[in-house]
């Protein structure tokens, strides 16, 4: 079946290090979204990408919409303790039988930062 | 205070019982969503609603029922709870299509079915 694959599944890094994670789809996307979930809370939108090749920044975060439109990357520079959480990519629905406005989320990348 | 609130925050129920999870938003957003979050599966869409009285299935809708009689409320009902429905449930809203508008999530309801 169609899938949205995120990697890595988890990351253990030192404070101050840069972080890279990515998401790949079996289908072509017109939109890529990146959300972050803090412990005990719901996810919050970080960055939205709407065009192949687009590179967008939000503070220390930078995300790119892959040229093939089947992948996206999120980078975090100089990580700090509050970057801890789960990062999700999301895009249009990949399942069948449902409505067209339901977002599909990846399984998430767990980021753990050691001071 | 404005925002999206879910209740209860925690719920324990027995197999076979009916349980309803509540979601209320004060922004008058058109769209509302229910997701479940499980280890190894991430967030999976159960149902969503584009407006009052309009609902659509998501990826994992079997065993769940929703209604949207008012714009601000979107309750999720498990008609006969099963252990496989033990999960953390998140409600979300957005002013427009989620492809163009950010989803605003509640803080979740942790449901345990025994």
């Amino acid at each position: 079946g169609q899938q949205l694959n995120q990697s890595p599944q988890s990351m253990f890094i030192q404070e101050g290090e840069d972080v890279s994670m990515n998401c790949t789809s079996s289908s072509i996307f017109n939109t890529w979204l990146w959300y972050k979930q803090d412990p005990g809370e719901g996810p919050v939108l970080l960055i939205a990408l709407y065009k192949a090749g687009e590179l967008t920044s939000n503070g220390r975060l930078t995300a790119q919409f892959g040229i093939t439109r089947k992948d996206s990357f999120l980078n975090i520079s100089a990580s700090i303790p509050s970057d801890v959480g789960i990062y999700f990519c999301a895009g249009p629905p990949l399942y069948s039988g449902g409505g067209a406005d339901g977002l599909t989320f990846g399984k998430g990348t767990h980021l753990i930062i050691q001071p | 205070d404005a925002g999206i609130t879910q209740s209860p925050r925690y719920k324990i129920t027995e197999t076979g019982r009916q349980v309803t999870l509540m979601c209320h938003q004060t922004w008058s957003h058109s769209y509302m969503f229910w997701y479940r979050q499980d280890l190894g599966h991430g967030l999976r869409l159960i149902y969503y609603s584009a407006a009052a009285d309009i609902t659509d299935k998501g990826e994992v809708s079997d065993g769940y029922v929703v209604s949207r009689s008012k714009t601000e409320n979107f309750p999720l009902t498990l008609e006969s709870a099963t252990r496989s429905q033990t999960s953390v449930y998140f409600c979300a809203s957005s002013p427009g299509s989620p492809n163009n508008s950010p989803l605003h999530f509640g803080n979740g309801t942790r449901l345990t079915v025994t």
Side-chain angles (χ1 to χ4, degrees):
Chain A
Q2 301 184 80
Q3 293 184 9
L4 195 59
N5 299 308
Q6 252 185 282
S7 65
Q9 191 173 7
S10 59
M11 301 182 74
F12 295 80
I13 64 167
Q14 299 285 335
E15 184 177 352
E17 286 185 22
D18 295 342
V19 172
S20 291
M21 61 189 78
N22 68 78
C23 201
T24 60
S25 167
S26 54
S27 299
I28 291 175
F29 277 8
N30 292 319
T31 302
W32 280 100
L33 306 166
W34 286 93
Y35 281 79
K36 183 199 175 192
Q37 183 180 27
D38 289 329
E41 299 183 9
V44 173
L45 180 66
L46 297 174
I47 293 177
L49 302 162
Y50 299 109
K51 188 176 175 182
E54 180 181 355
L55 188 71
T56 297
S57 293
N58 179 4
R60 292 177 296 105
L61 277 64
T62 301
Q64 185 163 22
F65 193 139
I67 291 293
T68 66
R69 293 167 61 193
K70 288 188 174 183
D71 57 8
S72 180
F73 307 87
L74 177 69
N75 296 314
I76 305 172
S77 62
S79 58
I80 60 177
S82 62
D83 291 333
V84 163
I86 305 175
Y87 291 80
F88 292 101
C89 61
L94 293 177
Y95 50 87
S96 58
D101 280 330
L103 274 184
T104 294
F105 282 80
K107 294 182 181 179
T109 293
H110 293 241
L111 181 61
I112 298 157
I113 298 175
Q114 299 160 329
Chain B
D1 288 339
I4 182 164
T5 54
Q6 294 184 234
S7 61
R9 190 69 195 266
Y10 302 93
K11 176 74 177 177
I12 300 174
T13 192
E14 295 177 342
T15 300
R17 290 199 181 260
Q18 181 180 83
V19 60
T20 296
L21 310 183
M22 305 301 293
C23 181
H24 176 78
Q25 53 106 355
T26 60
W27 292 302
S28 298
H29 284 171
S30 298
Y31 283 79
M32 295 189 76
F33 307 82
W34 276 105
Y35 283 87
R36 60 177 289 176
Q37 184 173 24
D38 304 286
L39 277 175
H41 291 280
L43 289 160
R44 290 181 293 175
L45 181 65
I46 304 170
Y47 268 99
Y48 75 94
S49 168
D53 297 321
I54 300 174
T55 61
D56 254 312
K57 291 182 178 181
E59 182 181 3
V60 289
S61 58
D62 287 348
Y64 301 95
V65 175
V66 292
S67 61
R68 185 103 182 267
S69 57
K70 292 184 178 180
T71 298
E72 61 266 30
N73 297 323
F74 191 39
L76 175 72
T77 298
L78 288 67
E79 294 187 301
S80 179
T82 65
R83 289 195 180 89
S84 65
Q85 292 178 310
T86 292
S87 185
V88 180
Y89 290 84
F90 285 98
C91 178
S93 71
S94 67
S97 167
N99 289 310
N100 301 306
S101 307
L103 265 63
H104 299 267
F105 283 85
N107 285 330
T109 294
R110 184 175 293 274
L111 176 68
T112 301
V113 183
T114 61

